Every structure is written in structure tokens, then in C-alpha cells.
Amino acid sequence: MAIQHLSDEQIRSWSRAEKDAWWFNNVFQKDMPQLTLRSALTGFLLGLVLTATALYIGAKTGVGIGVGLTSVILAFALFKSLSNAGMARDFSVLENNCTQSIATAAGYTVMPLIAGLPAYMMMTGHIIPWWQLMVWLIVVSVLGVLVAFPMKRRFINEDQLPFPEGRACGVVLDSLYSGDGAEGLYKARLLGKVAGIAAVYQALVSDGWMKLIQFKILRMDQWAGMKEPWYLHEKLDHYYYAWATKAEAWIPKILGTDLRVLGLRLTLDMAMLGVGGLMGMAVATSCLIGALLNFGVLAPLMIQMGDIAPRVRLDGSVVPLGRTEIVNQWSLWWAVTMMVVGALVGLLAKPELITSLFKRKSKVDKASEGPDLLRDIEMPLWLSYVGVPVLGALSVWLTHTFFGVPWLLGLISLPLIVVLTVICANAMALTSWTPTGALSKITQFTVGALDRSNPASNLLPATMTSDIASNASNLLSDIKPGYMLGGKPRHQAVGHIIGILAGTLSAVPLFFLLFLPPDANGVRSAATIVSDQFAFPAALQWKGVAELIAKGISQLPTSALISMAVAAVTAVVIEVLRIRTRGRFPLSSVSIGLGVVLPPDSVICMFMGALLFWIMHKRNEADPKSAGYRRWVEGAEPICAGLISGAALMGIGNALLNVLI
């Protein structure tokens, strides 16, 4: 069925009461199943799995991946197959939308776990107990739901703002359930096949899976005398270096520094190929420029000058140089400057995100006159009016009790929550962009200016405000397709809370298993969070800002200060060019900075993925009826989702096997 919508003139001239009446009479699906037991259970289970993939990719890249479309396709294919087999009724479009809301909410719970919270642990050395993490995440995330609903009627019902990402999901849902479902099943099969190929490859390059198969199942250590498991090396240049070491052949260097020390390796990572495909060429190219500039030019120069050098620990042992040391000692400062300045300039360049909040309609809003048609399907506003102050006070108390943030600083952050959430939600409504990174820095610098003594004083309030703003904005984006298709907003709100529970139950245990494994004495250390496999670039950025606030810039090397000044000016120039060219300028200052804190081998792999999908798109876009167009243009996102999910799930399994075996 065609999705009905108001004209621009109706949006401008009708009151909210008239718009609500039109929606209630023309769009609302009064009797269609939505939040059913099976849609809630399916969303919960998908949320558990997709949260794991989001955590894995977030720890590697610092990028939060959307899981909405993946959950839509998987739920559609599952119940279409069960229906064709006579085992269950097919999902209704609103049941699928509710499942998507639950899975999406689950995926977004990982954001604090890849940014502010690990940054806090690395700075303080304090491992937050798992139950404290769970309680804090649930309270803060539910607070985001309650903050969102007073905005829902303004942004969606009255202003009819586009929410491009949510609208796209609504269009996909409508297309899946309007025809015979063949296109949806094709995309699901495509996703499944690619995920299977990626999973097999990831198993072959994983020492844990190969150890399980060769030693525990095939017992090759007993009858074949194997001491170590055989597996393919993900770093393809490993084989050259192994030969070159034996043959005393040429080892590539830049200004005397081994490329392996700089992290410049040739790696084939299926998940990074998929992430690159979703990024697109512009972002991937910017990341590549940042990585090559830093690790191919600046880092070798700073090593030669002595501003980057091996550190001596308190016990006298030497920390050898590597990518992590290079980033922490020097590169982080100009990268963070580039990202923060670029994000803030980009935000300030969109004054309509703020000014539009204060515009008023020329016609008097009659929403309060007469009966409220949506009273029984909207979330009761009294829940927000009561719940926001109560949960706000509870979150401040938890932040004080668990993390030692002074009461006053926690209370000061509460008004910022409302202001930043409104800006963030408006940005999501207009552009599908949530500037939580830039907005979180406002909280960090505001609170940090009042208290420099405790890094938790700026990290945790900033994490709280950004998580609430992100949850509220993404909930509104999830409500948009439900509004387009005639669903009950109350059901979506309940589904969002179910998703928060699923995401927390999945993300927190995995966080401890993957990034905080106990040593031989059963002691966990924050030193294991960042590794060659998991770079945690977002956490390093947050940590860098907190250290800058706590220590000041006077203790940094002169070369780092110069690089920060150049980075700030460059970020302003790049963002101004993007503004003046209406987004056609191909570079992004935020992405250039991101390329510095990411492992360069991952950046190269993401660029190759973006290049592959760009080439295949160009080759096939001219013929919409061809098989290539169906696979590489219409099926690009399912292919990327398959690469990510197959590799990520096997990668998580490998990490767990290495802990357990």
C-alpha cells in the first residue's frame, strides 16, 4: 500500500489537532497486531545478537552501526519462511516494526561501552563492577525514553519532520509487506550467504576456532604431534615478513622505523570491508588520509626527533613502540583537536537545528481543545513529567555513588541533558545525524572547568548526557516509521525499554569477557581494554579530552602543540569548504581524525571495502533490471550487514574460546 502523508501546505497551515485527526482516521491501524509476545521475543533475541556485533565493531572502529534494517530483513525472512511452511502466521508490518524498534534500542546501548565508560576505566584504573554498569546503563537509557516522548508530538505529529533514516525504514517495511515478499527473501538469502562466507573465513583466521577444531575435536595434537594450531593469518604480509626474517631480506621502513611498528600492515578483515561499504568513499577516503598522514609521515618524524620514544615503566621494564604508544604519546592530541573542532564547526554551521526549535506556527494550535483522539495510544505525558525528575535524580545519585562524581556537578549536568537532547533530536529529525560527539564535549569542558581533580567529574556526566540524547533521538527516529505505518507509539516505547534490557544483558557480560579478561590470579586490568585487535578509538578520544582538561596543554611536547594548532585551523577550513560547497567537498575533518586513532590496517581495509562497493555500484547502476543492479545496488546494505555479522559473531566466538580454552 502507498504510504499516505500530508502536503507541505497542510503541514504549514493545519493545527496539531487537525493533523492528529487526519492520522487517526486515515493511517492508524487500529486492529493490526504490533507489540505481541512473538514480536517482543523476536526483537529481544535479535537484540542480543545484534548488540554483540555492534559492540565488536564499535570496539574496533568507534563507529556505532545501525541494526534496524538488518533486523527488519531477518524478522521478515524468519516469519515468511515459517508461514510458507505452515508453522506460524506471517508477521504483520507493525509487528516487524516493533521488533526493529526493540533490536535497534538494544544496539544503541553499546555506545557508552565503547566511549566514555572504558575511557573512565583507563584513566582511573578502576574496573566498574558488572552490576553497577548494568544498573547505570538501564537507568540512563530509560531516562532517554522518558525525555523523548514530550518531544514526539512536536517533532512528528505537529511539525511532520522527515527523520530520513526512520522514513527509509518505513518505506522498506511498506515495500516488503506490499508485494509477494520475493525481494525481502532475496535480500535475506543474500545476507545469509555472505554472512556464511565471512564466518567461514573468520574461523580459518582465528586461532581459537582452529584450536577447538584441531585439538579438542580432531585430537591432532595426539595423533599428528601438533604443538600449535594451524590457521590462516589475517595480516597477509605476515608471510613475507616470515620469509624475509629467515632470508635476511629487505624489511620496509620509513625514516628507519619498521612499518610493523607503525601499524601499516596489509590485512583482510571481512567486517572492516563491510564497515567500509556502509561508510562510503568520502568518509573512508578521509580516514585513509588521516592514517597515512599520521603513520606514514608524522609519526616517523616524531620518532626520529625523539618526541615519541619507548617508555620505561616503574619496575624498570621498557614499553616497546607500537601503534598504541604512538597514538597515546603524540598523535592523539592533533586527532582529537581535528575531530572536536570539526564537529563543533559542523554543529554551529547548522543554526536551524537550534532556531527551528523556537519557531511558532502562524495558526493557533488547537490540540488542547476538544477530546484527545490519541490519548489511549500515545505514551502518557505524566510518565515523563514524573519520571524525568525522579530518574534524573537517581542517575545523579548513581553517578555519585558508583563513580565519585560530586553531587553539584551531577546536578549541573541535568539541565544540559534537556538542552543537548533537544538539539540532538532536532538534528536527527532533519539530517539523520546525531552530533552526540560534539555535544558531549560541551558537557566535558563545562564540568571539567569546575573540577579538574577527578577525570570522572567530566567523563561520566558527558557519558550520561550523550547517552540520554542518543537514546531519545534514536527512539524518535524509530517512532517515525511506526507513525507512517499507523502503529501505536506506546507500544514502540515499551519495545524500546525491552530493547534496552536486551542490549544491557548482552553488552555488559561480553564487555567483561572480551576486553577485561582476568589474569592468572583472577585480577582484571583496564590495561587489556585497548589491544591490537580492539583499538577503542572513541574511548581514546574521550580519554584524550579528559586528560587535556585535567592536565592542561602545558605538559605536551611543543611539536604536539603545533600539530594541534594546525589541526584546528585545518578542521575549520575543511568544514567551511564543506558548507560552502553544500557537502560536495569530499573530505571530513572528523573522519580524518578518526583515521588517526583507528589501526591503520583497519583503515586500509575499510577503504578497500568502500572502493569495492563504489566500483560495483558504478558498474551496475545504469541497468536497474540487471542481476548486478539487484545484487550490488539494491543489495549493497544486506551484503555489508552479512560481512559484518558473520565476521563479528565468529570473532566474538574466537575471543571467548581463547578465554575459556
Side-chain angles (χ1 to χ4, degrees), residues 16 149 151-155 157-158 372 374 378:
R16 194 173 73 202
F149 263 88
M151 304 178 193
K152 185 263 177 184
R153 285 200 172 190
R154 168 68 194 276
F155 287 137
N157 296 34
E158 182 178 359
D372 184 359
L374 309 185
E378 292 277 12

Side-chain angles (χ1 to χ4, degrees), residues 1-5 26-27 29 167 170-171 174-175 178 484-485:
M1 62 179 180
I3 296 176
Q4 300 186 65
H5 56 84
N26 294 280
V27 181
Q29 301 290 334
R167 180 170 181 79
V171 171
D174 181 66
S175 65
S178 295
M484 294 165 58
L485 299 168

Side-chain angles (χ1 to χ4, degrees), residues 53-73:
T53 65
L55 181 64
Y56 182 88
I57 298 300
K60 275 180 166 282
T61 67
V63 177
I65 60 169
V67 298
L69 186 58
T70 303
S71 63
V72 164
I73 293 173

Side-chain angles (χ1 to χ4, degrees), residues 281-286 289 574 578 581 583-588:
M281 276 298 291
V283 174
T285 301
S286 296
I289 289 172
I574 289 174
R578 284 169 59 84
T581 60
R584 289 190 294 274
F585 186 71
L587 300 182
S588 161

Side-chain angles (χ1 to χ4, degrees), residues 130-256:
W130 65 267
W131 65 271
Q132 291 185 4
L133 272 183
M134 283 190 169
V135 170
W136 191 86
L137 283 173
I138 290 172
V139 169
V140 170
S141 298
V142 173
L143 181 55
V145 175
L146 296 179
V147 169
F149 263 88
M151 304 178 193
K152 185 263 177 184
R153 285 200 172 190
R154 168 68 194 276
F155 287 137
I156 294 179
N157 296 34
E158 182 178 359
D159 290 351
Q160 301 277 315
L161 293 179
F163 286 94
E165 189 175 303
R167 180 170 181 79
C169 191
V171 171
V172 169
L173 277 165
D174 181 66
S175 65
L176 287 176
Y177 287 88
S178 295
D180 58 5
E183 192 62 28
L185 288 174
Y186 171 77
K187 290 181 178 179
R189 285 194 293 268
L190 186 61
L191 189 156
K193 289 177 182 177
V194 173
I197 294 171
V200 170
Y201 170 78
Q202 193 64 38
L204 290 174
V205 299
S206 299
D207 57 340
W209 285 109
M210 291 297 97
K211 190 183 299 181
L212 174 68
I213 294 171
Q214 296 169 28
F215 290 174
K216 300 297 181 180
I217 297 177
L218 299 179
R219 303 288 182 181
M220 295 177 70
D221 55 330
Q222 297 180 10
W223 58 268
M226 290 180 61
K227 301 297 183 183
E228 295 292 334
W230 173 90
Y231 58 92
L232 288 174
H233 284 272
E234 197 173 52
K235 288 181 170 54
L236 303 180
D237 57 11
H238 163 84
Y239 298 101
Y240 171 79
Y241 284 115
W243 169 82
T245 301
K246 292 181 179 179
E248 298 183 353
W250 174 71
I251 300 294
K253 298 178 181 179
I254 299 177
L255 297 178

